[in-house]
Amino acid sequence: MCGRYTLTVDEEAVMRRFHLDSSEAGHTPRFNIAPTQMAPVVLNEAPRRLSVGRWGLIPAWSKDATIGARLINARAETLIEKPAFRTPLKRRRCLVPADGFYEWRAEGKSKTPFFIRLKSGEPFALAGLWEVWQPPTGEPLRTFTIITVEANECIAPFHARMPAILPREVEQAWVDPETPAVELMAVLAPFPAREMEVWAVSRRVNSPANDDASLIEAI
DNA sequence: CCAGACGTTGTT
DNA sequence: GTCTGG
DNA sequence: CCAGACGTTGTT
DNA sequence: GTCTGG
């Protein structure tokens, strides 16, 4: 699964990586992006822009926002049948820029967190869905969820699921609302484990209040 | 037709 | 909003 | 994902 | 134990 991730590069680097012209995200390097927090997303917009949304999808029909804290992931295998996801799947797909994520492994009484990234260290796109939710009062809120797939051999020791990392060549097709969703299901597959690496990190990452470069240092 | 649900993960 | 169950 | 809270009533 | 908030 994916319950915490990183985007440690600055906004310029994110824009370069995803060929964007402008940004409303105000992104600064992040080492501990947690559910319900705002994070950069790439929608289908012209001109191409780095946008922003709240992690944890709140369906448009939700009466309150609390469900958002639980809908942080969406299983790829059941996207089409789940009411909360099938509507955004059609025309509201997004890229979630990231360059690493965390998984926890129980070791005796406690849990040890691990950091996972590409061996290249490069940012990548997680497959996401987004929605707009209108609170009873106030401005509409954009939210998003991260799609999960079966874990590869690198992640399997930690969990049965991992976030869907998109191959670079399908990123544009993924956000294009003209692409039929059925044609995209095959790209939701475990990323090659040989291109990923993992190491143990400090338990300081457990608290979402901590967000600094030391969180991804190997211990 | 109306009413009511609508989600994921891990752990026990 | 959209689907399922009654 | 983990951390942290977890309640009611009436009155101002 | 379970739910909400970050």
Side-chain angles (χ1 to χ4, degrees):
Chain A
M1 85 156 292
C2 182
R4 219 65 82 78
Y5 70 96
T6 65
L7 184 58
T8 68
V9 294
D10 65 21
E11 191 163 73
E12 283 298 318
V14 179
M15 290 171 63
R16 233 178 295 125
R17 165 64 178 77
F18 292 95
H19 319 295
L20 307 174
D21 305 316
S22 64
S23 173
E24 65 165 14
H27 175 72
T28 54
R30 295 291 310 277
F31 301 85
N32 197 5
I33 299 173
T36 73
Q37 294 180 350
M38 301 301 287
V41 288
V42 179
L43 316 180
N44 181 69
E45 297 174 288
R48 293 181 54 79
R49 176 173 65 156
L50 185 64
S51 199
V52 69
R54 183 190 195 253
W55 186 13
L57 188 138
I58 305 172
W61 39 260
S62 264
K63 291 190 175 56
D64 70 283
T66 58
I67 193 174
R70 298 191 293 284
L71 302 191
I72 63 172
N73 293 134
R75 294 175 65 89
E77 299 89 335
T78 53
L79 287 180
I80 291 173
E81 58 198 61
K82 299 297 184 184
F85 302 139
R86 61 181 304 166
T87 307
L89 176 65
K90 289 176 193 160
R91 291 184 156 266
R92 285 191 297 278
R93 298 175 298 259
C94 64
L95 307 179
V96 182
D99 57 11
F101 57 93
Y102 297 97
E103 296 285 357
W104 280 257
R105 188 168 72 195
E107 296 185 334
K109 274 186 160 185
S110 64
K111 284 183 165 187
T112 300
F114 289 79
F115 179 63
I116 298 118
R117 66 166 199 172
L118 298 188
K119 285 177 179 172
S120 69
E122 286 290 301
F124 46 86
L126 298 177
L129 304 174
W130 63 279
E131 265 286 11
V132 175
W133 181 70
Q134 177 61 61
T137 61
E139 292 302 302
L141 178 68
R142 180 184 298 120
T143 64
F144 69 93
T145 190
I146 294 171
I147 296 173
T148 65
V149 296
E150 190 181 350
N152 64 20
E153 312 86 80
C154 179
I155 313 299
F158 305 94
H159 285 304
R161 311 289 301 177
M162 67 179 287
I165 300 173
L166 290 173
R168 201 181 277 235
E169 62 271 19
V170 305
E171 288 173 2
Q172 287 325 302
W174 179 263
V175 297
D176 185 351
E178 300 305 313
T179 310
V182 63
E183 292 179 13
L184 292 167
M185 294 303 95
V187 308
L188 300 177
F191 199 79
R194 64 177 178 278
E195 294 179 37
M196 305 182 75
E197 60 186 347
V198 51
W199 59 76
V201 294
S202 164
R203 289 177 60 195
R204 290 185 59 245
V205 74
N206 288 11
S207 173
N210 296 323
D211 188 347
D212 61 79
S214 73
L215 298 186
I216 67 171
E217 287 174 5
I219 58 165

